[in-house]
Coordinates of all heavy atoms in Angstrom, one line a residue:
M123 N 0.9 -1.2 -0.1 CA -0.1 0.0 0.0 C 0.9 1.2 0.0 O 1.9 1.3 0.7 CB -0.9 0.0 1.2 CG -1.7 1.2 1.4 SD -3.0 1.1 2.6 CE -4.3 0.4 1.7
S124 N 0.5 2.2 -0.8 CA 1.4 3.4 -0.9 C 1.0 4.4 0.2 O -0.1 4.4 0.8 CB 1.1 4.0 -2.2 OG -0.2 4.6 -2.4
M125 N 2.0 5.3 0.5 CA 1.8 6.3 1.5 C 1.1 7.5 0.9 O 1.2 7.8 -0.2 CB 3.3 6.7 2.0 CG 3.3 7.7 3.0 SD 5.1 8.2 3.4 CE 5.8 6.7 3.8
P126 N 0.2 8.1 1.8 CA -0.6 9.2 1.3 C 0.4 10.4 0.9 O 1.4 10.5 1.5 CB -1.4 9.7 2.5 CG -1.5 8.5 3.4 CD -0.2 7.7 3.1
Q127 N 0.0 11.1 -0.1 CA 0.9 12.1 -0.7 C 1.5 13.1 0.3 O 2.6 13.4 0.4 CB 0.2 12.9 -1.8 CG 1.2 13.8 -2.5 CD 0.4 14.5 -3.7 OE1 -0.7 14.2 -4.0 NE2 1.1 15.4 -4.3
N128 N 0.6 13.6 1.1 CA 1.1 14.6 2.1 C 2.0 14.0 3.2 O 2.9 14.7 3.7 CB -0.1 15.3 2.9 CG -1.0 14.4 3.5 OD1 -0.9 13.2 3.4 ND2 -1.8 14.9 4.5
Q129 N 1.8 12.8 3.5 CA 2.7 12.1 4.5 C 4.1 11.9 3.8 O 5.1 12.0 4.4 CB 2.2 10.7 4.9 CG 2.9 10.1 6.0 CD 2.2 8.7 6.4 OE1 1.2 8.3 6.0 NE2 3.0 8.1 7.4
L130 N 4.1 11.5 2.5 CA 5.3 11.3 1.8 C 6.1 12.6 1.8 O 7.2 12.7 2.0 CB 5.0 10.8 0.3 CG 6.2 10.5 -0.6 CD1 7.1 9.5 0.0 CD2 5.6 10.1 -1.9
F131 N 5.3 13.7 1.4 CA 5.9 15.0 1.4 C 6.6 15.4 2.7 O 7.7 15.9 2.7 CB 4.9 16.0 0.9 CG 5.4 17.5 0.9 CD1 6.2 17.9 -0.3 CD2 5.1 18.4 1.8 CE1 6.8 19.1 -0.4 CE2 5.6 19.7 1.7 CZ 6.4 20.1 0.6
E132 N 5.9 15.2 3.8 CA 6.4 15.5 5.1 C 7.6 14.7 5.4 O 8.5 15.2 6.0 CB 5.3 15.4 6.2 CG 4.2 16.4 6.1 CD 4.6 17.8 6.4 OE1 5.4 18.0 7.2 OE2 4.0 18.7 5.6
S133 N 7.6 13.5 5.0 CA 8.7 12.6 5.3 C 9.9 13.1 4.4 O 11.1 13.2 5.0 CB 8.5 11.1 4.8 OG 7.5 10.6 5.7
A134 N 9.7 13.5 3.3 CA 10.8 14.0 2.3 C 11.3 15.3 3.0 O 12.6 15.5 3.0 CB 10.3 14.3 1.0
L135 N 10.5 16.2 3.5 CA 11.0 17.5 4.1 C 11.9 17.2 5.4 O 12.7 18.1 5.7 CB 9.7 18.4 4.5 CG 9.1 19.1 3.3 CD1 7.9 19.8 3.9 CD2 10.0 20.0 2.7
S136 N 11.7 16.0 5.9 CA 12.5 15.8 7.3 C 13.9 15.3 6.9 O 14.8 15.3 7.7 CB 11.8 14.7 8.1 OG 11.7 13.5 7.4
L137 N 14.1 15.1 5.6 CA 15.5 14.5 5.2 C 16.5 15.8 5.2 O 16.1 16.9 5.1 CB 15.5 14.1 3.7 CG 14.7 12.8 3.5 CD1 14.5 12.6 1.9 CD2 15.4 11.7 4.1
P138 N 17.7 15.5 5.5 CA 18.7 16.6 5.3 C 18.7 17.2 4.0 O 18.4 16.5 2.9 CB 20.1 15.8 5.7 CG 19.7 14.6 6.3 CD 18.3 14.2 5.7
Q139 N 19.2 18.4 3.9 CA 19.1 19.1 2.6 C 19.8 18.4 1.4 O 19.3 18.3 0.3 CB 19.7 20.6 2.7 CG 19.6 21.4 1.4 CD 20.0 22.7 1.6 OE1 20.3 23.2 2.7 NE2 20.1 23.5 0.6
P140 N 21.0 17.8 1.6 CA 21.6 17.1 0.4 C 20.8 15.9 0.0 O 20.7 15.7 -1.2 CB 23.0 16.6 1.0 CG 23.3 17.6 2.2 CD 21.9 17.9 2.8
E141 N 20.1 15.3 0.9 CA 19.3 14.2 0.6 C 18.0 14.7 -0.2 O 17.6 14.0 -1.1 CB 19.0 13.2 1.8 CG 20.2 12.4 2.3 CD 19.8 11.7 3.5 OE1 18.8 11.2 3.6 OE2 20.8 11.4 4.3
R142 N 17.6 15.7 0.3 CA 16.3 16.3 -0.4 C 16.7 16.8 -1.8 O 15.9 16.5 -2.7 CB 15.8 17.5 0.4 CG 15.0 17.2 1.7 CD 14.2 18.2 2.2 NE 14.8 19.6 2.1 CZ 15.5 20.2 3.0 NH1 15.7 19.5 4.2 NH2 15.9 21.4 2.9
A143 N 17.9 17.4 -1.9 CA 18.3 17.8 -3.2 C 18.4 16.7 -4.2 O 18.0 16.6 -5.4 CB 19.6 18.6 -3.2
D144 N 19.0 15.5 -3.7 CA 19.2 14.3 -4.5 C 17.9 13.7 -4.9 O 17.6 13.3 -6.1 CB 20.1 13.2 -3.8 CG 20.3 12.0 -4.6 OD1 20.8 12.3 -5.7 OD2 20.0 10.9 -4.1
L145 N 16.9 13.7 -3.9 CA 15.5 13.2 -4.2 C 14.9 14.2 -5.3 O 14.2 13.6 -6.2 CB 14.8 13.1 -2.9 CG 13.3 12.7 -3.1 CD1 13.2 11.4 -3.7 CD2 12.6 12.8 -1.7
A146 N 15.0 15.4 -5.1 CA 14.3 16.3 -6.1 C 15.0 16.1 -7.5 O 14.2 16.0 -8.5 CB 14.6 17.7 -5.6
F147 N 16.2 15.9 -7.6 CA 16.9 15.7 -8.9 C 16.3 14.4 -9.5 O 16.0 14.3 -10.7 CB 18.4 15.6 -8.6 CG 19.1 15.3 -9.9 CD1 19.3 16.3 -10.9 CD2 19.6 14.1 -10.2 CE1 19.9 16.0 -12.1 CE2 20.3 13.7 -11.4 CZ 20.5 14.7 -12.4
Q148 N 16.3 13.3 -8.7 CA 15.8 12.0 -9.2 C 14.3 12.2 -9.7 O 13.9 11.7 -10.7 CB 15.9 11.0 -8.1 CG 17.4 10.6 -7.9 CD 17.4 9.6 -6.8 OE1 16.7 8.6 -6.7 NE2 18.4 9.7 -5.9
L149 N 13.5 12.9 -8.9 CA 12.1 13.1 -9.3 C 12.0 14.0 -10.7 O 11.3 13.6 -11.6 CB 11.3 13.8 -8.2 CG 11.0 13.0 -7.0 CD1 10.4 13.8 -5.9 CD2 10.1 11.8 -7.3
L150 N 12.8 14.9 -10.8 CA 12.9 15.8 -11.9 C 13.3 14.9 -13.2 O 12.7 15.0 -14.2 CB 13.6 16.9 -11.8 CG 13.1 18.1 -10.9 CD1 14.2 19.1 -10.8 CD2 11.8 18.6 -11.6
Q151 N 14.3 14.1 -13.0 CA 14.8 13.2 -13.9 C 13.7 12.2 -14.5 O 13.7 11.9 -15.6 CB 16.0 12.4 -13.5 CG 17.3 13.2 -13.3 CD 17.8 13.7 -14.7 OE1 17.5 14.8 -15.0 NE2 18.6 12.9 -15.4
S152 N 12.9 11.8 -13.6 CA 11.7 10.9 -14.0 C 10.7 11.5 -14.8 O 10.0 10.9 -15.5 CB 11.2 10.3 -12.6 OG 10.3 11.3 -12.0
L153 N 10.7 12.9 -14.8 CA 9.7 13.7 -15.6 C 10.3 14.0 -17.0 O 9.6 14.4 -17.9 CB 9.3 14.9 -14.9 CG 8.7 14.8 -13.6 CD1 8.4 16.1 -12.9 CD2 7.4 14.0 -13.8
T154 N 11.6 13.9 -17.1 CA 12.2 14.2 -18.4 C 11.9 13.1 -19.4 O 12.1 11.9 -19.2 CB 13.7 14.4 -18.3 OG1 14.0 15.5 -17.3 CG2 14.4 14.8 -19.5
P155 N 11.5 13.5 -20.6 CA 11.4 12.4 -21.7 C 12.7 11.7 -21.9 O 13.8 12.4 -21.8 CB 11.1 13.2 -22.9 CG 10.6 14.6 -22.4 CD 11.3 14.8 -21.2
P156 N 12.7 10.4 -22.1 CA 13.9 9.6 -22.2 C 14.8 10.0 -23.4 O 16.0 9.9 -23.2 CB 13.3 8.2 -22.4 CG 11.9 8.2 -22.7 CD 11.4 9.6 -22.3
D157 N 14.2 10.6 -24.5 CA 15.0 10.9 -25.6 C 14.8 12.4 -25.9 O 14.0 12.8 -26.7 CB 14.7 10.1 -26.8 CG 15.7 10.4 -28.0 OD1 16.7 11.2 -27.8 OD2 15.4 10.0 -29.1
D158 N 15.4 13.3 -25.1 CA 15.3 14.7 -25.3 C 16.3 15.4 -26.3 O 16.3 16.5 -26.5 CB 15.3 15.5 -24.0 CG 16.6 15.3 -23.2 OD1 17.6 14.7 -23.8 OD2 16.8 15.9 -22.1
G159 N 17.1 14.5 -26.9 CA 18.0 15.0 -27.9 C 19.3 15.5 -27.3 O 20.2 15.8 -28.1
V160 N 19.4 15.6 -26.1 CA 20.7 16.1 -25.3 C 21.1 15.0 -24.5 O 20.5 14.7 -23.4 CB 20.4 17.3 -24.6 CG1 21.6 17.8 -24.0 CG2 19.9 18.4 -25.5
S161 N 22.3 14.5 -24.8 CA 22.9 13.4 -23.9 C 23.5 14.1 -22.7 O 23.9 15.2 -22.7 CB 24.0 12.6 -24.7 OG 25.1 13.4 -24.9
S162 N 23.7 13.3 -21.6 CA 24.3 13.8 -20.4 C 25.7 14.2 -20.7 O 26.3 15.1 -20.1 CB 24.2 12.9 -19.3 OG 24.8 11.6 -19.6
E163 N 26.3 13.5 -21.7 CA 27.7 13.7 -22.0 C 27.9 15.1 -22.7 O 28.7 15.9 -22.3 CB 28.3 12.7 -22.9 CG 28.5 11.3 -22.2 CD 27.2 10.5 -22.2 OE1 26.3 10.8 -23.0 OE2 27.2 9.6 -21.4
K164 N 27.0 15.4 -23.6 CA 26.9 16.7 -24.3 C 26.6 17.8 -23.3 O 27.3 18.8 -23.4 CB 25.8 16.8 -25.4 CG 26.2 16.0 -26.6 CD 25.1 16.1 -27.6 CE 25.3 15.2 -28.9 NZ 24.2 15.3 -29.8
F165 N 25.7 17.6 -22.4 CA 25.3 18.6 -21.4 C 26.5 18.8 -20.5 O 26.9 20.0 -20.2 CB 24.1 18.1 -20.6 CG 23.7 19.1 -19.5 CD1 23.0 20.2 -19.9 CD2 24.1 18.9 -18.3 CE1 22.6 21.2 -19.0 CE2 23.8 19.9 -17.3 CZ 23.0 21.0 -17.6
S166 N 27.1 17.8 -20.0 CA 28.3 18.0 -19.2 C 29.5 18.7 -19.9 O 30.2 19.6 -19.3 CB 28.9 16.6 -18.7 OG 27.9 16.0 -18.0
A167 N 29.8 18.4 -21.2 CA 30.8 19.1 -22.0 C 30.4 20.5 -22.0 O 31.3 21.4 -21.9 CB 31.0 18.4 -23.3
E168 N 29.2 20.8 -22.4 CA 28.7 22.3 -22.5 C 29.0 23.0 -21.2 O 29.4 24.2 -21.2 CB 27.4 22.3 -23.0 CG 26.8 23.8 -23.1 CD 27.3 24.6 -24.2 OE1 28.0 24.0 -25.2 OE2 27.2 25.9 -24.2
F169 N 28.5 22.4 -20.1 CA 28.5 23.0 -18.7 C 30.1 23.2 -18.4 O 30.4 24.3 -18.0 CB 27.9 22.0 -17.8 CG 27.7 22.6 -16.5 CD1 26.8 23.7 -16.3 CD2 28.3 22.2 -15.4 CE1 26.5 24.2 -15.1 CE2 28.1 22.7 -14.1 CZ 27.3 23.8 -14.0
R170 N 31.0 22.2 -18.6 CA 32.3 22.4 -18.3 C 32.9 23.6 -19.2 O 33.7 24.4 -18.6 CB 33.2 21.1 -18.5 CG 32.9 20.1 -17.5 CD 33.9 19.0 -17.5 NE 33.8 18.3 -18.8 CZ 33.0 17.2 -19.0 NH1 32.1 16.9 -18.1 NH2 32.9 16.7 -20.1
E171 N 32.6 23.6 -20.4 CA 33.2 24.7 -21.3 C 32.7 26.1 -20.8 O 33.4 27.1 -20.8 CB 32.7 24.5 -22.7 CG 33.0 25.6 -23.7 CD 34.5 26.0 -23.6 OE1 35.4 25.1 -23.5 OE2 34.8 27.2 -23.8
R172 N 31.4 26.1 -20.3 CA 30.9 27.4 -19.8 C 31.7 27.9 -18.6 O 31.9 29.0 -18.4 CB 29.4 27.5 -19.7 CG 28.7 27.4 -21.0 CD 27.2 27.4 -20.7 NE 26.5 27.3 -22.0 CZ 25.3 27.8 -22.2 NH1 24.6 28.4 -21.3 NH2 24.7 27.6 -23.5
I173 N 31.9 26.9 -17.7 CA 32.7 27.2 -16.5 C 34.0 27.7 -16.8 O 34.5 28.7 -16.2 CB 32.7 26.0 -15.6 CG1 31.3 25.6 -14.9 CG2 33.7 26.1 -14.5 CD1 31.2 24.4 -14.2
E174 N 34.7 27.0 -17.7 CA 36.0 27.4 -18.2 C 36.0 28.8 -18.8 O 36.9 29.6 -18.6 CB 36.6 26.4 -19.1 CG 37.0 25.1 -18.4 CD 37.9 25.3 -17.2 OE1 38.9 26.1 -17.2 OE2 37.7 24.7 -16.1
A175 N 35.1 29.1 -19.7 CA 34.9 30.4 -20.3 C 34.8 31.4 -19.2 O 35.3 32.6 -19.2 CB 33.7 30.4 -21.3
H176 N 34.0 31.2 -18.2 CA 33.8 32.2 -17.1 C 35.1 32.4 -16.3 O 35.5 33.4 -16.1 CB 32.7 31.7 -16.1 CG 32.6 32.5 -14.8 ND1 32.1 33.7 -14.9 CD2 33.0 32.3 -13.6 CE1 32.1 34.3 -13.8 NE2 32.6 33.4 -12.9
R177 N 35.9 31.3 -16.1 CA 37.1 31.4 -15.4 C 38.1 32.2 -16.2 O 39.0 32.8 -15.7 CB 37.6 30.0 -15.1 CG 37.0 29.4 -14.0 CD 37.4 28.0 -13.6 NE 36.6 27.4 -12.5 CZ 36.6 26.1 -12.4 NH1 37.3 25.2 -13.1 NH2 35.8 25.6 -11.3
R178 N 38.0 32.1 -17.6 CA 39.0 32.8 -18.4 C 38.5 34.3 -18.5 O 39.2 35.1 -19.2 CB 39.1 32.2 -19.9 CG 39.7 30.9 -19.9 CD 39.9 30.4 -21.3 NE 38.6 30.3 -22.0 CZ 37.9 29.2 -22.2 NH1 38.3 28.0 -21.7 NH2 36.8 29.2 -22.9
G179 N 37.4 34.7 -18.0 CA 36.9 36.0 -18.0 C 36.0 36.3 -19.2 O 35.8 37.5 -19.6
E180 N 35.8 35.3 -20.0 CA 35.0 35.5 -21.3 C 33.5 35.4 -21.1 O 32.7 35.7 -22.0 CB 35.3 34.3 -22.3 CG 36.8 34.3 -22.7 CD 37.2 33.0 -23.3 OE1 36.3 32.2 -23.6 OE2 38.4 32.9 -23.7
L181 N 33.1 35.0 -19.9 CA 31.6 34.8 -19.7 C 31.3 35.2 -18.2 O 31.3 34.4 -17.3 CB 31.2 33.3 -19.9 CG 29.8 32.9 -20.0 CD1 29.1 33.6 -21.2 CD2 29.6 31.4 -20.2
P182 N 31.2 36.5 -18.0 CA 30.9 37.0 -16.6 C 29.6 36.5 -16.0 O 28.8 36.1 -16.8 CB 30.9 38.5 -16.8 CG 31.5 38.8 -18.0 CD 31.3 37.6 -18.9
S183 N 29.5 36.6 -14.8 CA 28.3 36.1 -14.1 C 27.4 37.2 -13.7 O 27.9 38.4 -13.7 CB 28.7 35.2 -12.9 OG 29.4 36.0 -12.0
F184 N 26.2 37.0 -13.3 CA 25.3 38.0 -12.8 C 25.1 37.7 -11.2 O 25.1 36.6 -10.8 CB 24.0 37.8 -13.4 CG 23.9 38.2 -14.9 CD1 24.0 37.3 -15.9 CD2 23.9 39.5 -15.1 CE1 24.0 37.7 -17.1 CE2 23.8 39.9 -16.6 CZ 23.8 39.0 -17.6
S185 N 24.9 38.8 -10.5 CA 24.4 38.6 -9.1 C 23.1 38.1 -9.1 O 22.3 38.3 -10.1 CB 24.7 39.9 -8.4 OG 23.5 40.8 -8.8
L186 N 22.6 37.6 -7.9 CA 21.2 37.2 -7.8 C 20.3 38.2 -8.0 O 19.3 38.1 -8.7 CB 21.1 36.6 -6.4 CG 19.7 36.1 -6.0 CD1 19.2 35.0 -7.0 CD2 19.6 35.6 -4.5
E187 N 20.6 39.5 -7.6 CA 19.7 40.6 -7.8 C 19.5 40.9 -9.2 O 18.5 41.2 -9.8 CB 20.2 41.8 -7.0 CG 20.2 41.7 -5.4 CD 21.2 40.8 -4.9 OE1 22.3 40.5 -5.6 OE2 21.1 40.2 -3.8
E188 N 20.7 40.9 -10.0 CA 20.6 41.2 -11.4 C 19.8 40.2 -12.1 O 19.1 40.5 -13.1 CB 22.1 41.2 -12.0 CG 22.9 42.5 -11.6 CD 24.4 42.3 -12.1 OE1 24.9 41.3 -11.9 OE2 24.8 43.3 -12.7
T189 N 20.0 38.9 -11.8 CA 19.3 37.8 -12.4 C 17.9 38.0 -12.2 O 17.0 37.8 -13.1 CB 19.8 36.5 -11.9 OG1 21.2 36.4 -12.1 CG2 19.1 35.3 -12.5
R190 N 17.4 38.3 -10.9 CA 16.0 38.5 -10.6 C 15.4 39.7 -11.5 O 14.3 39.6 -12.0 CB 15.8 38.7 -9.2 CG 15.9 37.4 -8.4 CD 15.7 37.6 -6.9 NE 15.8 36.4 -6.2 CZ 15.9 36.3 -4.9 NH1 16.1 37.4 -4.2 NH2 15.9 35.1 -4.3
A191 N 16.2 40.7 -11.5 CA 15.7 42.0 -12.3 C 15.6 41.6 -13.8 O 14.5 42.1 -14.4 CB 16.7 43.1 -12.1
I192 N 16.5 40.9 -14.3 CA 16.4 40.5 -15.7 C 15.3 39.6 -16.0 O 14.4 39.8 -16.9 CB 17.7 40.0 -16.2 CG1 18.8 41.0 -16.4 CG2 17.5 39.3 -17.6 CD1 20.2 40.5 -16.6
S193 N 15.1 38.6 -15.2 CA 14.0 37.7 -15.2 C 12.6 38.4 -15.1 O 11.7 38.1 -15.8 CB 14.1 36.5 -14.2 OG 15.3 35.8 -14.5
A194 N 12.5 39.2 -14.1 CA 11.3 39.9 -13.9 C 10.9 40.9 -15.1 O 9.8 40.9 -15.4 CB 11.4 40.7 -12.6
A195 N 11.9 41.5 -15.7 CA 11.6 42.4 -16.8 C 11.2 41.5 -18.0 O 10.2 41.9 -18.7 CB 12.8 43.2 -17.1
R196 N 11.8 40.4 -18.2 CA 11.4 39.6 -19.3 C 10.0 39.0 -19.1 O 9.2 38.9 -20.1 CB 12.4 38.3 -19.5 CG 13.7 38.9 -20.1 CD 14.7 37.8 -20.2 NE 15.9 38.2 -20.9 CZ 17.0 37.5 -21.0 NH1 17.1 36.2 -20.6 NH2 18.1 37.9 -21.5
C197 N 9.7 38.7 -17.8 CA 8.4 38.0 -17.6 C 7.3 39.1 -17.8 O 6.2 38.9 -18.3 CB 8.3 37.5 -16.2 SG 9.2 35.9 -15.9
A198 N 7.6 40.3 -17.3 CA 6.6 41.4 -17.4 C 6.4 41.8 -18.9 O 5.3 42.2 -19.3 CB 7.2 42.8 -16.7
R199 N 7.4 41.6 -19.7 CA 7.3 41.9 -21.2 C 6.8 40.7 -21.9 O 6.3 40.9 -23.1 CB 8.6 42.4 -21.8 CG 9.0 43.7 -21.3 CD 10.3 44.3 -21.8 NE 10.1 44.3 -23.2 CZ 11.1 44.6 -24.2 NH1 12.3 44.9 -23.6 NH2 11.0 44.6 -25.4
G200 N 6.9 39.6 -21.3 CA 6.4 38.3 -21.9 C 7.3 37.9 -23.1 O 6.9 37.4 -24.1
T201 N 8.7 38.2 -23.0 CA 9.5 37.9 -24.1 C 10.9 37.6 -23.6 O 11.3 37.9 -22.4 CB 9.7 39.1 -25.0 OG1 10.5 38.9 -26.1 CG2 10.3 40.4 -24.2
K202 N 11.6 37.0 -24.4 CA 13.1 36.8 -24.1 C 14.0 37.7 -24.9 O 15.2 37.6 -24.8 CB 13.5 35.3 -24.5 CG 12.8 34.2 -23.7 CD 13.3 32.9 -24.1 CE 12.7 31.8 -23.2 NZ 13.3 30.5 -23.6
K203 N 13.4 38.7 -25.5 CA 14.1 39.7 -26.2 C 14.9 40.6 -25.3 O 14.8 40.7 -24.2 CB 13.3 40.5 -27.2 CG 12.6 39.6 -28.2 CD 11.7 40.5 -29.1 CE 11.1 39.6 -30.2 NZ 10.1 40.3 -31.0
R204 N 15.7 41.4 -26.0 CA 16.6 42.4 -25.3 C 15.8 43.3 -24.3 O 14.7 43.7 -24.7 CB 17.3 43.2 -26.4 CG 18.3 44.1 -25.9 CD 19.1 44.6 -27.0 NE 18.5 45.7 -27.6 CZ 19.2 46.6 -28.4 NH1 20.5 46.5 -28.6 NH2 18.5 47.5 -28.8
I205 N 16.5 43.7 -23.2 CA 15.8 44.6 -22.3 C 16.9 45.7 -22.0 O 18.1 45.6 -22.4 CB 15.5 43.9 -21.0 CG1 16.6 43.3 -20.3 CG2 14.3 43.0 -21.2 CD1 16.4 42.8 -18.9
S206 N 16.4 46.8 -21.6 CA 17.3 47.9 -21.2 C 18.2 47.5 -20.1 O 17.7 47.0 -19.0 CB 16.6 49.2 -20.9 OG 15.8 49.6 -22.0
V207 N 19.5 47.8 -20.3 CA 20.4 47.5 -19.2 C 21.4 48.8 -19.0 O 21.5 49.6 -19.9 CB 21.3 46.3 -19.5 CG1 20.4 45.1 -19.4 CG2 22.0 46.4 -20.8
P208 N 22.0 49.0 -17.8 CA 23.0 50.1 -17.6 C 24.0 50.0 -18.7 O 24.4 49.0 -19.3 CB 23.6 49.8 -16.2 CG 22.5 48.9 -15.6 CD 22.0 48.1 -16.7
K209 N 24.7 51.2 -18.8 CA 25.8 51.4 -19.9 C 27.0 50.5 -19.5 O 27.8 50.3 -20.4 CB 26.2 52.9 -19.9 CG 25.1 53.7 -20.6 CD 25.5 55.1 -20.7 CE 24.4 55.9 -21.4 NZ 24.8 57.3 -21.6
N210 N 27.2 50.1 -18.4 CA 28.4 49.3 -18.0 C 28.1 47.8 -18.4 O 28.8 46.9 -17.8 CB 28.8 49.4 -16.6 CG 27.7 48.9 -15.6 OD1 26.6 48.8 -15.9 ND2 28.1 48.7 -14.4
R211 N 27.2 47.5 -19.2 CA 26.9 46.2 -19.7 C 27.4 46.0 -21.1 O 27.4 46.9 -21.9 CB 25.4 45.9 -19.6 CG 24.7 46.2 -18.3 CD 25.1 45.3 -17.3 NE 24.0 44.3 -17.0 CZ 24.3 43.2 -16.4 NH1 25.4 42.9 -15.9 NH2 23.3 42.4 -16.1
V212 N 27.8 44.8 -21.4 CA 28.0 44.4 -22.8 C 27.2 43.2 -23.2 O 26.6 42.5 -22.5 CB 29.6 44.1 -22.9 CG1 30.5 45.3 -22.6 CG2 30.0 42.9 -22.0
R213 N 27.2 43.1 -24.5 CA 26.3 42.0 -25.1 C 27.2 41.0 -25.7 O 28.1 41.3 -26.5 CB 25.5 42.7 -26.2 CG 24.1 42.0 -26.3 CD 23.2 42.8 -27.1 NE 22.2 43.5 -26.3 CZ 21.3 42.9 -25.6 NH1 21.3 41.6 -25.6 NH2 20.4 43.5 -25.1
Q214 N 26.9 39.8 -25.5 CA 27.6 38.6 -26.1 C 26.6 37.6 -26.5 O 26.0 37.1 -25.6 CB 28.6 38.1 -25.1 CG 29.5 36.9 -25.7 CD 30.4 36.3 -24.7 OE1 30.5 36.9 -23.6 NE2 31.1 35.3 -25.0
N215 N 26.6 37.2 -27.8 CA 25.6 36.2 -28.3 C 24.2 36.6 -27.8 O 23.4 35.6 -27.5 CB 26.0 34.9 -27.9 CG 27.3 34.5 -28.5 OD1 27.6 34.9 -29.6 ND2 28.1 33.7 -27.7
G216 N 23.7 37.8 -27.8 CA 22.4 38.1 -27.4 C 22.1 38.2 -25.9 O 21.0 38.5 -25.4
T217 N 23.2 38.0 -25.0 CA 23.1 38.0 -23.6 C 23.9 39.2 -23.1 O 24.9 39.4 -23.5 CB 23.6 36.7 -23.1 OG1 22.9 35.6 -23.6 CG2 23.3 36.6 -21.5
E218 N 23.3 39.9 -22.1 CA 24.0 41.0 -21.5 C 24.8 40.6 -20.4 O 24.4 39.7 -19.6 CB 22.9 42.0 -20.9 CG 22.1 42.7 -22.0 CD 20.6 42.4 -21.9 OE1 20.2 42.0 -20.9 OE2 19.9 42.7 -22.8
F219 N 26.1 41.2 -20.3 CA 27.0 40.9 -19.3 C 27.5 42.2 -18.6 O 27.7 43.1 -19.4 CB 28.1 40.1 -19.8 CG 27.7 38.7 -20.3 CD1 27.6 38.5 -21.7 CD2 27.5 37.7 -19.4 CE1 27.3 37.2 -22.2 CE2 27.1 36.4 -19.9 CZ 27.0 36.2 -21.3
H220 N 27.8 42.1 -17.4 CA 28.4 43.3 -16.7 C 29.8 43.5 -17.1 O 30.5 42.5 -17.2 CB 28.3 42.9 -15.2 CG 28.7 44.1 -14.4 ND1 29.9 44.8 -14.4 CD2 28.0 44.9 -13.5 CE1 29.9 45.8 -13.5 NE2 28.7 45.9 -13.0
R221 N 30.3 44.7 -17.3 CA 31.6 44.9 -17.7 C 32.5 45.0 -16.4 O 32.1 46.0 -15.7 CB 31.7 46.3 -18.5 CG 32.7 46.2 -19.6 CD 32.6 47.4 -20.4 NE 32.1 47.1 -21.6 CZ 31.8 47.9 -22.6 NH1 32.0 49.3 -22.4 NH2 31.3 47.6 -23.7
G222 N 33.3 44.1 -16.1 CA 34.0 44.0 -14.8 C 35.0 45.2 -14.7 O 35.2 45.9 -13.9

């Protein structure tokens, strides 16, 4: 017999954060179509390349506040198109970056 959903949720919340994160990842993986066209190897390679580009200074990061502001502006406009940014920003491949 299966556990009621709310009891299962409460049990999951009682797990330590690393175990909850692992459980959440596994649950999300179960929702992903088996053939989404992107292999984990391709994804890992792309992710590693982006990290290295950031370390080389080619791909700056955004603060949490900047990310939220950009996301909120895009949601408000209902688009992924360009939004107004301060003059100390540069554009790379259609994405705005802070000029360090």
Side-chain angles (χ1 to χ4, degrees):
M123 177 172 271
S124 65
M125 185 183 297
Q127 185 176 354
N128 61 343
Q129 187 179 357
L130 179 61
F131 180 73
E132 292 298 322
S133 294
L135 285 178
S136 69
L137 294 171
Q139 184 173 356
E141 291 179 31
R142 285 195 323 268
D144 186 51
L145 177 60
F147 177 76
Q148 290 179 44
L149 288 170
L150 287 172
Q151 289 293 95
S152 73
L153 298 175
T154 305
D157 185 15
D158 60 1
V160 179
S161 69
S162 60
E163 293 82 20
K164 286 181 184 178
F165 180 80
S166 295
E168 175 72 18
F169 191 66
R170 281 192 300 275
E171 174 53 33
R172 288 182 185 210
I173 289 171
E174 289 306 314
H176 175 71
R177 288 180 179 158
R178 291 188 304 264
E180 299 167 3
L181 194 63
S183 60
F184 291 100
S185 71
L186 178 59
E187 293 78 20
E188 289 174 312
T189 302
R190 285 181 175 162
I192 290 169
S193 296
R196 287 180 178 172
C197 287
R199 291 182 58 185
T201 182
K202 291 184 178 182
K203 293 182 181 178
R204 188 168 82 158
I205 59 172
S206 298
V207 293
K209 290 183 181 181
N210 66 340
R211 306 290 257 165
V212 294
R213 209 170 255 302
Q214 179 180 356
N215 297 328
T217 305
E218 292 122 13
F219 296 104
H220 188 298
R221 218 178 252 176

